[in-house]
Amino acid sequence: MVNSNLALLPEYNPPVEITVQESPVKWCSVSLSDVISRGKRLEASVFDVDARQARRIVEDGKYPATMVCGESGLASAYTRGRFKRIWVEKSDFPIYQPSTILDIKPTPDGYISSRTKVNIDSLRVSKGQILMTCSGTIGKVAYVSDTLDNLIFSHDLLRIDCKDPVDAGYLYAYFKTEVGNKILTTNMYGAVISHIEAEHLQMVPIPVAPFTIREKINELVVQSYALRDESNALVDEATRIMIAELHLPPISELKKNASIANTFSVRLSNLDCRVDASYHVPVVNAIIEQFQRNAEEVTIVGDSRISKEVILPGRFKRVYVDEGYGRVLIGGKQVNELDPSGKKYLSIAKHDKRINRELFIKEGTTLITRSGTIGKVALVPRHWENWVASEHIIRVVPASDDIAGYLNIFLASEYGHQLITRFTYGSVVDEIDDNHVRQIAIPLLKNHDAQKEINDLALTANKKRYEAYCLEQEALKIMNDKVIFAK
């Protein structure tokens, strides 16, 4: 209804000017001599602007620069020739993939026969070396301590020997920095697989800091890896105690005794609505029978005495942001690393509710990969506190600190792995879910003191891994502040 014929002039609102912030185009000019010196290569990635800036920082820095390798370099590097592997079920020659150098406690990819036409001893790595992935994801480095010493690795791994042992940790820290890694990873070739060779390190500059600084960085790196070795020894001891208390024979023996043929029968009452053979493999029953004979009680992970909750986040579309604007996100491939490589950052603004509800992780939580490679198990250390794990990782929140370490040791053992992977389903991509994890059988020991010792050993190992991380971060800070960006 109109009460008046008075017309009002609407308030004038000027149009809002929308400014679109566009990323500037990255470009640079390249001299002909640069093209020739880089092997007459014309790919833009070889002359990456950020990489050129990184080189300039090193070459114009406070300390004189030399090349990583070469006559005046700090080290020498080499790879091994390709060879055809003869795989066997078990032998004295376990072989490891290059990607496992990042794992705190690497596991072998398989076993090769002594008849393999290669000098197997030449494939072993030595304590004090720096290892670098040179194919696929390149430039990932590790320091060879007691854990990796004398292990056999495939040919796709660069071995770096420093002329002065003090430079081993120094070189490791340099390649872990953003500047050092950026320079390294611009030396690529190949349209499909990125690859580097030993001679490429003759074109990678590195600042030569005073001996005292190099010695300090090396000392921190060596101490960091020593703590990782100690943590692995504690985990091994905890696992040994558990196996001894449960009188568990080797998995290979259980498999041998469980079934001679590749066929077996299953009672209808034991089907559990699963008709896939992998769920009913005899070795699983053999393991559970051992538990029942030697444990005080066999319960399940979903028992309230074992876990508060088992969390499987739902799938969602991720919004990534730059470092400093979101939570660190790690995936299943990274759960066995101390400082997960290739970290991404999930937007807090877009995912805050979901992060707080189901994505963030807490110290002492056991993580289990649920798809692709199933059954990788990790115990969340302190420096992962409030990081975000992807929805491809199941979280098992322990009922208390008194069970957290024991739960992890059991699930991470080869016996726990068999009980986890029995639930695998899927024809193309293997999967398990949180309901499966809740049903995993877990034995409680008759010897309560032994169970407590296992738990304490695991938690102590996790603490040492946090301390190892802190030492490495201190080494990287010195490298950045007192060497690369020193004024």
Side-chain angles (χ1 to χ4, degrees), residues 99 102 133 137-141 175-178 181 185 318 320-323 327-335 337-346 384 387-390 469 472-473 476:
S99 58
L102 300 177
T133 55
T137 302
I138 72 167
K140 305 302 179 184
V141 292
F175 283 135
K176 289 280 287 186
T177 64
E178 185 177 354
N181 193 258
T185 55
R318 304 173 191 170
Y320 297 117
V321 293
D322 293 333
E323 183 178 0
R327 292 279 186 93
V328 175
L329 173 70
I330 61 173
K333 291 182 179 180
Q334 304 160 311
V335 296
E337 300 176 20
L338 180 70
D339 182 18
S341 58
K343 292 190 288 285
K344 297 179 180 179
Y345 300 89
L346 200 64
W384 289 15
W387 283 11
V388 173
S390 78
Y469 170 82
E472 182 173 294
Q473 293 304 303
L476 297 182

Side-chain angles (χ1 to χ4, degrees), residues 264-277 279-281 284-285 289 422-423 439:
F264 49 87
S265 60
V266 180
R267 291 176 179 270
L268 181 62
S269 58
N270 293 334
L271 280 179
D272 292 338
C273 299
R274 295 285 295 263
V275 294
D276 43 329
Y279 180 81
H280 302 283
V281 287
V284 171
N285 292 330
E289 287 173 6
R422 73 173 299 200
F423 291 100
Q439 297 172 43

Side-chain angles (χ1 to χ4, degrees), residues 11-30:
E11 183 179 350
Y12 175 71
N13 292 317
V16 178
E17 294 185 5
I18 300 176
T19 303
V20 179
Q21 300 291 341
E22 297 183 356
S23 299
V25 176
K26 292 185 177 181
W27 66 275
C28 65
S29 59
V30 181

Side-chain angles (χ1 to χ4, degrees), residues 94-105:
I95 189 168
Y96 295 76
Q97 291 295 344
S99 58
T100 62
I101 65 172
L102 300 177
D103 293 347
I104 303 174
K105 201 174 189 302

Side-chain angles (χ1 to χ4, degrees), residues 63 169-170 172-174 176-178 213 216-218 220-221 339 469-486:
Y63 302 114
Y170 181 75
Y172 168 85
Y174 177 66
K176 289 280 287 186
T177 64
E178 185 177 354
I213 295 179
K216 178 61 177 177
I217 292 174
N218 177 74
L220 290 169
V221 171
D339 182 18
Y469 170 82
C470 292
L471 288 176
E472 182 173 294
Q473 293 304 303
E474 184 180 349
L476 297 182
K477 188 175 188 304
I478 294 174
M479 175 63 75
N480 276 314
D481 296 348
K482 296 187 178 182
V483 180
I484 296 175
F485 297 103

Side-chain angles (χ1 to χ4, degrees), residues 180-201:
N181 193 258
K182 190 66 177 178
I183 295 173
L184 174 70
T185 55
T186 52
N187 291 323
M188 302 178 184
Y189 66 85
V192 180
I193 300 177
S194 300
H195 198 93
I196 58 174
E197 298 288 355
E199 56 264 25
H200 291 153
L201 296 183

Side-chain angles (χ1 to χ4, degrees), residues 440-483:
I440 295 172
I442 179 171
L444 299 178
L445 303 185
K446 294 177 181 178
N447 187 338
H448 296 180
D449 291 337
Q451 183 169 310
K452 183 179 185 304
E453 183 180 3
I454 292 169
N455 187 75
D456 292 345
L457 286 170
L459 296 183
T460 301
N462 210 35
K463 182 180 178 181
K464 286 183 179 293
R465 290 175 178 179
Y466 167 69
E467 293 170 355
Y469 170 82
C470 292
L471 288 176
E472 182 173 294
Q473 293 304 303
E474 184 180 349
L476 297 182
K477 188 175 188 304
I478 294 174
M479 175 63 75
N480 276 314
D481 296 348
K482 296 187 178 182
V483 180

